[in-house]
Amino acid sequence: MTEMSAPIPFEKLQMNLARVRQEIGEAAARANRKSDAARLVAVTKYVGLDEIQNLCALGIKDFGESRIQDAEKKCKALPCNRELHWHLIGHLQTNKADKAVKIFETVHSIDSLRVAQALNKERGKIGQLPLFGLIEINVAGEANKYGLRPEITEICDLLKHYSELKHLQIVGLMLQQVEKPLLEKGVKMEVTQAARELLANKGYSEEFGAR
């Protein structure tokens, strides 16, 4: 299991959460959007059950984990788990797709057609609603990171098989954070075009947004 950080006092969590919500509100205002249009996912891969329960008490219902086994243990131990929405934010191996679809509501790290097909197949077996997914883009094209290269052809190659994926709903792109100098204009244009291609393939309206 992932090594946990030192316990975080409730008051500090409350203060940090208020700051993050304020920043979301300010960003939403700059984009002429309502702050509740953004979905806040608390990444809990380095904290324990107490912090998650405290975040629940503060109104957080979405939690992100990088490792399937860690999320599985936390889900089983949390009394409030039925109220929560779990997000896989780490790399997924196809041989673990069967476990992932039983735990997570959204997978943020779809980086290949093989992963998408594995998730679709396993989700179909358990007969639940479609799994939400985000296509992971390696914006800087760094060799040591996962994700599709920021080239429209790679995204389109994956999307052209979308009609075959009845149990997987692609809801957006997950862009890895990079330093601004690395995000060249050409890459921005490719990613923007990829997002438009995603909209066109899915039939979403302009109100489409990543979950």
Side-chain angles (χ1 to χ4, degrees), residues 7-26:
I8 304 173
F10 181 86
E11 293 75 15
K12 186 173 182 180
L13 282 176
Q14 189 174 35
M15 180 178 64
N16 290 346
L17 182 57
R19 175 177 54 78
V20 170
R21 283 175 168 160
Q22 181 180 349
E23 291 175 357
I24 290 174
E26 293 171 352

Side-chain angles (χ1 to χ4, degrees), residues 21-207:
R21 283 175 168 160
Q22 181 180 349
E23 291 175 357
I24 290 174
E26 293 171 352
R30 290 194 297 271
N32 295 317
R33 299 180 67 185
K34 295 181 179 180
S35 58
D36 59 5
R39 190 171 185 179
L40 176 59
V41 179
V43 176
T44 52
K45 60 182 180 178
Y46 295 124
V47 301
L49 299 178
D50 289 343
E51 283 84 358
I52 296 175
Q53 289 179 307
N54 285 338
L55 285 168
C56 287
L58 291 168
I60 298 297
K61 301 299 181 185
D62 291 85
F63 295 92
E65 288 283 336
S66 294
R67 295 163 61 91
I68 292 175
Q69 56 267 45
D70 291 351
E72 190 173 29
K73 290 178 181 178
K74 290 175 181 178
C75 286
K76 290 179 179 178
L78 285 166
C80 59
N81 184 54
R82 290 186 178 181
E83 306 170 11
L84 308 182
H85 308 287
W86 292 93
H87 301 247
L88 178 62
I89 60 173
H91 178 66
L92 176 67
Q93 296 175 322
T94 55
N95 63 352
K96 295 184 179 179
D98 58 336
K99 289 187 176 181
V101 299
K102 296 173 183 176
I103 300 171
F104 299 100
E105 177 181 301
T106 307
V107 174
H108 292 234
S109 50
I110 297 176
D111 59 2
S112 70
L113 177 60
R114 287 181 65 249
V115 168
Q117 290 173 330
L119 289 170
N120 178 71
K121 177 182 177 181
E122 297 301 333
R123 189 70 168 191
K125 288 181 180 179
I126 61 176
Q128 293 187 6
L129 293 173
L131 181 74
F132 295 122
L134 283 79
I135 299 175
E136 182 179 16
I137 308 295
N138 184 349
V139 177
E142 297 175 84
N144 62 335
K145 291 185 178 180
Y146 294 105
L148 294 177
R149 290 177 297 176
E151 299 172 4
I152 188 63
T153 53
E154 290 219 358
I155 290 93
C156 287
D157 283 346
L158 192 156
L159 289 177
K160 70 183 181 182
H161 294 276
Y162 179 70
S163 62
E164 305 164 8
L165 308 176
K166 305 299 184 184
H167 308 288
L168 178 65
Q169 183 177 346
I170 302 296
V171 295
L173 305 176
M174 197 284 280
L175 309 181
Q176 296 175 7
Q177 184 176 3
V178 297
E179 298 296 328
K180 288 185 178 179
L182 293 176
L183 193 57
E184 299 175 355
K185 184 177 180 180
V187 172
K188 287 184 180 180
M189 291 176 64
E190 290 277 9
V191 172
T192 301
Q193 188 179 354
R196 288 175 179 166
E197 186 69 23
L198 178 60
L199 291 177
N201 274 268
K202 304 310 173 201
Y204 287 115
S205 71
E206 291 182 358
E207 295 178 348

